[in-house]
Amino acid sequence: MDYLKWSQEYYEEAEKILRNIDILKEKQKNVPQDERQTVAENILRLRSIYYECIHTAGYLASRAEERACDVA
């Protein structure tokens, strides 16, 4: 299993999520007041997913380093 590649995929997914958060932040400025709360909730959900991706990517990267040390 290539932990480093897997880690990179999680980092890339996190970047996509950040772009979506930025889009929602811009959208939030222009939506009617009654929709702003829904957009804000979606931003919070995406932030949670983003942090999970970053955490998982870091964990997988550390596993890759451990395996590299075990092989060396």
Side-chain angles (χ1 to χ4, degrees):
M1 178 169 284
D2 189 346
Y3 287 104
L4 198 55
K5 181 180 176 186
W6 203 6
S7 170
Q8 188 58 40
E9 289 172 5
Y10 270 91
Y11 280 125
E12 289 169 6
E13 196 62 33
E15 286 299 316
K16 290 177 190 176
I17 292 167
L18 274 183
R19 286 193 297 270
N20 285 324
I21 289 171
D22 289 340
I23 290 168
L24 285 176
K25 284 181 179 179
E26 284 300 313
K27 179 181 178 179
Q28 190 177 28
K29 294 176 185 177
N30 301 317
V31 297
Q33 183 66 32
D34 60 330
E35 292 180 31
R36 286 187 186 157
Q37 183 62 35
T38 302
V39 175
E41 289 170 359
N42 289 337
I43 291 170
L44 288 174
R45 285 186 191 101
L46 283 177
R47 278 192 184 139
S48 176
I49 295 168
Y50 168 78
Y51 291 129
E52 286 295 322
C53 284
I54 293 296
H55 176 77
T56 302
Y59 171 75
L60 291 170
S62 70
R63 291 283 298 175
E65 289 176 19
E66 288 174 13
R67 291 188 94 193
C69 290
D70 290 344
V71 172

